[in-house]
Amino acid sequence: MKDLIGAMENLVWLTQLGLSVLVPPVCLTWFCSWLVNSKGASPLWYLLFLPLGLACGAMSFWKFCKMVMHKAKPKKDEKQRVYFNKHS
């Protein structure tokens, strides 16, 4: 049963990662297409919106990877000591 729960959690994380990476470029490309077709804007707007969407997807991927690496760190059993002379 524990394996099934772990597999379902991994499936949820994979789905979240896929949506987080895929949605920004698709939405910005759709918005640019709407802008060009209905408002008569220059098709050069694609050169701005497509890299912006890809950068947003890459940033989502990076944040997801940082979160996974943070969760994978082993927990320390000791409590953190408080030092009153430490000023940082």
Side-chain angles (χ1 to χ4, degrees):
M1 187 68 175
K2 209 172 203 181
D3 293 334
L4 180 63
I5 292 172
M8 288 303 209
E9 284 180 0
N10 290 337
L11 184 62
V12 167
W13 284 116
L14 183 65
T15 304
Q16 180 64 42
L17 175 64
L19 288 174
S20 296
V21 170
L22 186 65
V23 167
V26 169
C27 285
L28 285 173
T29 303
W30 174 81
F31 175 73
C32 186
S33 176
W34 171 81
L35 187 68
V36 168
N37 292 333
S38 68
K39 301 296 181 187
S42 171
L44 291 175
W45 282 100
Y46 282 109
L47 294 177
L48 173 70
F49 282 107
L50 189 59
L52 183 65
L54 292 173
C56 290
M59 188 173 67
S60 295
F61 179 73
W62 175 248
K63 286 184 178 184
F64 180 82
C65 288
K66 280 178 39 178
M67 186 262 313
V68 169
M69 287 188 290
H70 179 70
K71 283 190 173 203
K73 278 186 183 176
K75 305 285 184 199
K76 290 186 179 180
D77 293 334
E78 310 174 348
K79 290 184 178 178
Q80 293 283 26
R81 293 185 171 209
V82 177
Y83 297 104
F84 293 101
N85 291 334
K86 202 172 191 180
H87 297 287
S88 57

